[in-house]
Amino acid sequence: MTLHRTTRAALVGAALLASTAVFAQDACPHRGDLDSQFCDANKDLVADTPTDAKKLRDPSTLVFAFTPVEDPSVYEKLFRPFMGHLSQCVGKKVVFFPVQSNAAQIEAMRSGRLHIAAFSPGPVNFAVNLSGAVPFAIRGNEQGPVGMNLKMIVRKESSYQKLDDLKGKRIAHTSPSSNSGNLAPRALFPKLGLTPDTDYKVVYSGKHDQSILGVKTGDYDAAPVASDVLQHMTDRGVVAKDEFRVLYTSEMFPTDAYAYAHNLVPALQDKIKQCFFDYKVPAEMAKGLGGDRFLPITYKKDWELVRTVAKASGESFTRDAFEKAAQKK
């Protein structure tokens, strides 16, 4: 029996669509939580290097950005010797790109305008899933990686002596995607009898330094902040050590993760890692950042605690979650 031409054409078209769909699925056997443009065939939770040579990048100039914490010019100066080392080591021009927000930093890498970056602990998850960032290094010393703690600070002269005293108060979190400045408090504080948005009013300051200065000036009653940022500001004389009382200190979290864009050519990826691990951090940079060397990490292993805190606080690291978080600012 001969099929009607229209029916036959429809069946052929359906077969082609089906084969295309199977091919598309086979092209990426596993993606996990990564955005649709990335693949994670080896299930290490980060984007695989493209197998299509046309998708690989070997830029003549490498763009580097440090996490948007405090004054960017301070960190640009601290990183200047390293920029020179990296440029000579990889044989390419390297420039420092000051970013004003976590969202801008993530978007810059996603769009190909940023090649290497230090991402704050919380935004690392968004950077991995949405921009194809591949974390490979962390600051450290001979004892191991340098970490930071979440500290809930209040003014020294305030009447607050314990977390329970902060109920009904105005407390600064940094930004929705921040680990120590938002996700960790939401995961850890309820167990201590203090639930954000229920027991106190959350106000987003934007950055850790703005939370610290806001507590100092009395704009906020308290703030959960990263211990390393507080230490850096104290060392530079921006705030005094005796200006605050610490009501809570968490376990140690990893500090900023250094990552490269997943679509850099493999040889350049390897060279960048070598250049980081071979670098002898000068004293001024070590004092300003914490840690006197760069140590290797993997996102799957070393960021497990951060992901656990995020999940406990109900956070997900999808495109929709990222856009909703940006709208909260």
Side-chain angles (χ1 to χ4, degrees):
M1 181 177 180
T2 303
L3 288 172
H4 188 278
R5 182 179 299 176
T6 303
T7 304
R8 192 165 58 235
L11 290 173
V12 171
L16 287 173
L17 287 173
S19 64
T20 301
V22 171
F23 177 80
Q25 291 174 359
D26 289 344
C28 182
H30 178 77
R31 182 167 287 114
D33 293 331
L34 301 181
D35 214 19
S36 60
Q37 61 185 305
F38 309 119
C39 192
D40 180 23
N42 61 3
K43 299 184 179 181
D44 62 356
L45 304 186
V46 299
D48 298 335
T49 302
T51 55
D52 183 352
K54 295 179 181 178
K55 295 182 179 180
L56 294 173
R57 299 289 178 265
D58 189 12
S60 58
T61 297
L62 291 176
V63 180
F64 172 87
F66 188 71
T67 179
V69 179
E70 305 177 72
D71 183 356
S73 64
V74 172
Y75 289 89
E76 183 172 8
K77 180 180 179 182
L78 282 175
F79 274 98
R80 198 167 293 156
F82 178 70
M83 295 290 96
H85 158 77
L86 187 59
S87 177
Q88 184 176 26
C89 184
V90 299
K92 296 176 181 286
K93 182 179 180 181
V94 180
V95 297
F96 187 95
F97 175 48
V99 291
Q100 299 302 317
S101 70
N102 294 316
Q105 187 182 34
I106 291 168
E107 173 57 26
M109 182 165 282
R110 188 202 65 79
S111 64
R113 294 179 288 112
L114 180 62
H115 309 112
I116 311 170
F119 292 98
S120 295
V124 165
N125 303 292
F126 277 123
V128 166
N129 289 354
L130 304 184
S131 71
V134 180
F136 68 92
I138 193 171
R139 298 191 304 273
N141 51 40
E142 61 182 7
Q143 282 79 42
V146 172
M148 62 86 186
N149 306 95
L150 161 67
K151 291 181 177 290
M152 178 69 96
I153 62 170
V154 298
R155 295 177 69 181
K156 187 72 172 287
E157 63 269 24
S158 75
S159 61
Y160 313 129
Q161 299 294 328
K162 56 187 185 301
L163 289 180
D164 196 58
D165 295 337
L166 297 176
K167 290 186 176 180
K169 304 305 178 182
R170 194 167 181 265
I171 298 179
H173 286 204
T174 55
S175 64
S177 65
S178 173
N179 179 66
S180 56
N182 184 53
L183 301 181
R186 291 184 182 278
L188 302 176
F189 288 175
K191 300 175 184 177
L192 303 173
L194 190 69
T195 302
D197 288 324
T198 298
D199 293 325
Y200 66 81
K201 179 178 176 58
V202 173
V203 182
Y204 289 112
S205 68
K207 301 177 183 179
H208 285 280
D209 63 316
Q210 291 173 185
S211 289
I212 294 167
L213 293 175
V215 173
K216 175 181 178 178
T217 59
D219 291 338
Y220 312 120
D221 295 300
V225 299
S227 61
D228 56 342
V229 178
L230 180 60
Q231 186 63 54
H232 297 162
M233 294 179 71
T234 302
D235 290 343
R236 299 205 322 269
V238 179
V239 295
K241 186 175 182 180
D242 60 359
E243 286 188 82
F244 305 104
R245 179 183 300 120
V246 177
L247 303 187
Y248 168 82
T249 301
S250 75
E251 294 181 18
M252 191 178 79
F253 286 88
T255 186
D256 314 305
Y258 292 79
Y260 55 74
H262 81 293
N263 58 350
L264 297 180
V265 294
L268 180 56
Q269 294 180 15
D270 292 340
K271 192 65 177 177
I272 289 171
K273 288 189 286 187
Q274 176 196 328
C275 295
F276 267 78
F277 300 143
D278 288 348
Y279 186 60
K280 307 301 181 184
V281 177
E284 183 179 1
M285 183 176 173
K287 181 180 179 181
L289 292 174
D292 59 9
R293 68 198 70 185
F294 292 105
L295 300 175
I297 59 166
T298 63
Y299 175 70
K300 186 174 184 177
K301 173 180 177 291
D302 296 289
W303 243 251
E304 184 177 4
L305 176 59
V306 178
R307 292 193 302 273
T308 299
V309 164
K311 291 178 181 178
S313 64
E315 186 73 15
S316 62
F317 296 97
T318 63
R319 172 66 57 183
D320 287 343
F322 179 70
E323 292 175 350
K324 288 178 181 178
Q327 292 172 2
K328 292 180 181 179
K329 296 181 181 180

